[in-house]
Amino acid sequence: MAADYENGDGGGDGDGNGILHEGVVPEEAEARLADIGVNTLLNRLKQSIASARDFAGFLKERSSLEEKHAQGLKKLCKSTHDSSHRPDSRQGSYVAQLDNVTRVHERMADNGVQFALSLHQMHEDLSDLANNVERGRKHWKQTGLNAEKRAQDAESTMEKAKSKYDSLAEDYDRARTGDKGSGRVFGLKGPKSAAQHEEELLKKVQAADADYSGKVQTALTLRQELLNSSRPQAIRALQELITECDSALTLQLQKFAAFNEKLLLANGVLVSPIKKESDVPEQRSLRDMVSSIDNEKDLQNYITSFTPKVPARSKTIKYERHPTLVPVNQTPATVQGPRQPKPQESPLPPPSFVSAQQSSSSSSRHSYLPSYQQQQPHQPQPPPQHQVQERGYPIAMPSHTQYAPQPPQPHSQYMGPAYPSTSPQPPPNHTQQPLPAASYPRDQHLPPLKPVFGVALEELFARDGSAVPMVVYQCTQAVDLFGLDVEGIYRLSGTASHISLLKGMFDNDSSKVDFRNPENFYHDVNSVAGLLKQFFRDLPDPLLTREHYDEFIESA
């Protein structure tokens, strides 16, 4: 029986197992059917899974890089577009073509996003495939190796049974031939006879022979099952898994190459479109866009846009000596007084102030003088301030001593008026004389006896009898006199503390405020402009009224 097993079909022919097919040489079929076939294919499948996972990781990282690049390119295009349209950036053909360039890059970024999404999908597909193949490998590893182990265990048990059978057979042969080498055999009741010993060995040999025969039959059955069923199934399944994994990896590599070609071609067409012979207008290339920038035209258009802002030419420069600097021995007739501004050059007063223009020049002059000078008529009048004619407005040059009393000049006389008769006149109700700058309580908050801020224009008109509030008149007068040369007069903010104090002065009694003296508004004309803006902001009803708001919006 042992000879039958040893001479049996331990290798198998494999013709009926579906393993030997066209294109497979016999040596390869024997290797697959050999004892190392399952382990060999398991190791090969492990390599395929590792390669698939490596390439899936590459696709994931490449997708992440492409997505970051595309998103960064979009943000760059947006920031470039915003910065190029700022007022401090160059305009004209440059910004127009730069917009076209950024649009091309935005489309390139869109292509990059689509490419990143495709790579991410490939990564997910390849990862799922590798996981499925790994599960199949584990299953067939357990199934195939268990079948191999069962066959090997059966053969090992058979070998042990054969060794026992051979030993008993040799003892029986010596006892039967009368070989005394084995010595005397003792039983429970004393020494056994030769016949008894031979009979006992025969029984043992027969039992060992039956056991050995059964073990051989079991080993043959398991071996045949392994060669004809278990091993071919495992090898076939592992081969299919290897083929599936390798084919999927090759397919993803082909898709990766195709997607790269598509991305590069799409971006190339955006950068340099293909010229068509049809009448359809073709897309311009980046080179054409950049070549369309006309630097000279942009510069000329920029200079031309400032033509309306060119200031009028100043009048002839002429030296005019101030009367106070005339020598004492020179007669007043030889003194060239300050040039009187033309009536149309003086700031226009509000419509409600027309009646005040009918007053005599002397009464106008006295109304503009500080109160302490009217109370002391015997004091000599201060010389007039030197006025600079600019932009059609007489601008009084501020001086810290213009309201201080001057000592009499016995050898000189001043024949001109203290203020030009064409200066803007105060409202009719502005009868109380302003306090001098030194004695006016400017640094303390006053009680709101006659509020102006936050009061409707109708109420102010009914109370004060003036269509133009005093705060508007004083602020515009101060800006005309001292703020026309200040850059950003209505744009720059004033000092909050100054604005608060000035507001308290007008809310206390606006008739006492006189902004012809810059000390009364702390020499801060920006605060005067801010005060005027705050008055208009605090009006209960806007200056243009809410009633006509929709009509203004439609007309705009």
Side-chain angles (χ1 to χ4, degrees):
M1 285 182 289
D4 293 339
Y5 171 75
E6 292 172 356
N7 296 329
D9 51 350
D13 54 5
D15 293 339
N17 297 329
I19 299 300
L20 188 59
H21 51 80
E22 267 189 61
V24 180
V25 297
E27 292 80 5
E28 183 179 354
E30 287 186 13
R32 292 178 181 176
L33 292 176
D35 294 339
I36 61 173
V38 175
N39 287 325
T40 301
L41 294 180
L42 285 173
N43 292 332
R44 177 62 178 79
L45 180 58
K46 186 176 182 181
Q47 294 177 354
S48 298
I49 294 173
S51 299
R53 286 178 173 170
D54 290 341
F55 188 66
F58 167 78
L59 292 176
K60 181 179 179 181
E61 291 297 326
R62 178 68 186 278
S63 173
S64 178
L65 291 175
E66 290 293 337
E67 184 176 6
K68 290 179 181 178
H69 176 265
Q71 297 298 336
L73 186 57
K74 284 187 175 181
K75 291 181 180 179
L76 177 61
C77 292
K78 186 178 184 304
S79 61
T80 303
H81 179 271
D82 294 341
S83 62
S84 63
H85 285 268
R86 290 201 302 263
D88 57 348
S89 181
R90 177 182 169 186
Q91 303 299 319
S93 61
Y94 164 76
V95 72
Q97 299 306 322
L98 184 61
D99 289 343
N100 293 332
V101 172
T102 54
R103 279 193 289 270
V104 169
H105 281 76
E106 286 177 354
R107 296 178 61 183
M108 294 172 64
D110 293 336
N111 293 338
V113 171
Q114 293 297 328
F115 180 66
L117 292 176
S118 300
L119 294 186
H120 185 71
Q121 185 63 39
M122 291 170 56
H123 153 71
E124 291 183 349
D125 295 342
L126 199 56
S127 297
D128 293 341
L129 175 69
N131 294 332
N132 293 333
V133 173
E134 179 64 24
R135 286 192 291 270
R137 177 182 176 277
K138 290 180 179 180
H139 169 73
W140 287 109
K141 177 181 179 181
Q142 183 178 3
T143 303
L145 294 183
N146 286 342
E148 296 281 349
K149 188 174 184 304
R150 286 196 301 269
Q152 291 176 1
D153 291 344
E155 292 177 6
S156 177
T157 304
M158 181 200 68
E159 292 294 334
K160 292 180 180 179
K162 182 177 180 301
S163 298
K164 182 179 179 181
Y165 171 72
D166 291 341
S167 176
L168 291 174
E170 290 176 359
D171 290 343
Y172 174 71
D173 184 58
R174 284 194 297 268
R176 189 179 58 177
T177 57
D179 187 5
K180 304 299 183 178
S182 58
R184 300 185 69 181
V185 179
F186 293 91
L188 295 176
K189 298 181 179 180
K192 294 182 179 180
S193 62
Q196 292 177 343
H197 182 59
E198 181 180 351
E199 183 179 359
E200 184 178 356
L201 288 176
L202 179 59
K203 292 179 180 181
K204 291 181 179 180
V205 169
Q206 291 176 349
D209 180 69
D211 181 64
Y212 173 56
S213 176
K215 294 292 192 300
V216 169
Q217 190 63 34
T218 302
L220 284 174
T221 303
L222 293 176
R223 184 70 176 178
Q224 287 298 118
E225 181 181 358
L226 174 65
L227 296 177
N228 297 330
S229 177
S230 300
R231 182 181 288 173
Q233 284 182 355
I235 291 177
R236 187 182 301 109
L238 292 174
Q239 183 181 6
E240 291 176 355
L241 291 175
I242 292 172
T243 303
E244 179 183 4
C245 187
D246 293 345
S247 300
L249 181 57
T250 303
L251 176 62
Q252 297 299 335
L253 284 169
Q254 294 174 354
K255 290 173 63 178
F256 177 72
F259 287 153
N260 275 278
E261 293 177 357
K262 182 179 179 181
L263 174 65
L264 295 178
L265 288 176
N267 292 339
V269 170
L270 289 175
V271 174
S272 181
I274 300 175
K275 296 183 179 180
K276 299 179 180 179
E277 297 180 357
S278 60
D279 297 335
V280 179
E282 61 183 15
Q283 184 181 356
R284 301 174 63 192
S285 64
L286 284 180
R287 182 185 295 273
D288 296 336
M289 295 176 187
V290 176
S291 301
S292 300
I293 299 176
D294 193 342
N295 294 329
E296 295 182 359
K297 184 177 180 181
D298 290 349
L299 178 59
Q300 187 66 28
N301 292 338
Y302 178 78
I303 297 175
T304 306
S305 64
F306 283 88
T307 302
K309 301 180 181 180
V310 176
R313 292 185 178 179
S314 60
K315 297 183 179 180
T316 304
I317 300 176
K318 182 179 180 182
Y319 172 74
E320 296 180 359
R321 194 172 189 180
H322 198 274
T324 58
L325 301 180
V326 177
V328 295
N329 57 355
Q330 187 175 358
T331 61
T334 61
V335 179
Q336 183 179 2
R339 182 171 58 89
Q340 299 296 329
K342 297 181 180 180
Q344 62 271 18
E345 294 178 345
S346 62
L348 296 177
S352 62
F353 304 154
V354 176
S355 60
Q357 298 288 345
Q358 300 174 359
S359 61
S360 61
S361 60
S362 60
S363 62
S364 300
R365 179 170 62 252
H366 288 298
S367 64
Y368 278 77
L369 292 177
S371 59
Y372 77 97
Q373 292 186 7
Q374 293 185 5
Q375 296 171 2
Q376 299 177 4
H378 61 278
Q379 295 292 340
Q381 299 295 331
Q385 299 174 351
H386 179 63
Q387 297 184 351
V388 180
Q389 187 73 18
E390 183 176 354
R391 299 186 183 177
Y393 295 97
I395 302 176
M397 300 301 291
S399 173
H400 294 289
T401 61
Q402 61 182 343
Y403 286 93
Q406 300 292 336
Q409 300 288 342
H411 298 286
S412 65
Q413 294 182 358
Y414 176 71
M415 305 302 294
Y419 294 93
S421 60
T422 58
S423 299
Q425 301 299 323
N429 60 345
H430 191 209
T431 58
Q432 187 175 0
Q433 297 300 325
L435 294 175
S439 61
Y440 199 89
R442 297 178 296 109
D443 296 330
Q444 59 181 346
H445 293 281
L446 303 175
L449 301 180
K450 298 174 65 177
V452 174
F453 288 81
V455 181
L457 295 176
E458 295 83 358
E459 298 180 17
L460 292 176
F461 177 77
R463 186 187 70 187
D464 301 332
S466 174
V468 179
M470 179 58 66
V471 62
V472 177
Y473 173 77
Q474 290 291 346
C475 290
T476 55
Q477 177 181 241
V479 172
D480 287 343
L481 294 176
F482 306 100
L484 295 182
D485 289 336
V486 178
E487 182 178 358
I489 178 61
Y490 284 105
R491 174 173 55 84
L492 299 178
S493 303
T495 305
S497 59
H498 292 172
I499 296 175
S500 178
L501 292 173
L502 295 177
K503 178 182 177 183
M505 292 163 57
F506 278 100
D507 281 339
N508 178 260
D509 191 354
S510 59
S511 63
K512 295 182 179 180
V513 183
D514 186 3
F515 278 176
R516 290 172 298 169
N517 182 4
E519 292 185 5
N520 288 334
F521 54 83
Y522 312 97
H523 296 277
D524 187 0
V525 71
N526 285 323
S527 296
V528 175
L531 182 68
L532 180 60
K533 292 189 290 183
Q534 183 172 352
F535 171 78
F536 288 120
R537 282 197 302 268
D538 293 347
L539 286 176
D541 190 30
L543 192 62
L544 300 180
T545 71
R546 294 188 179 90
E547 179 182 359
H548 302 288
Y549 176 78
D550 295 334
E551 298 174 2
F552 284 117
I553 294 299
E554 292 178 1
S555 63

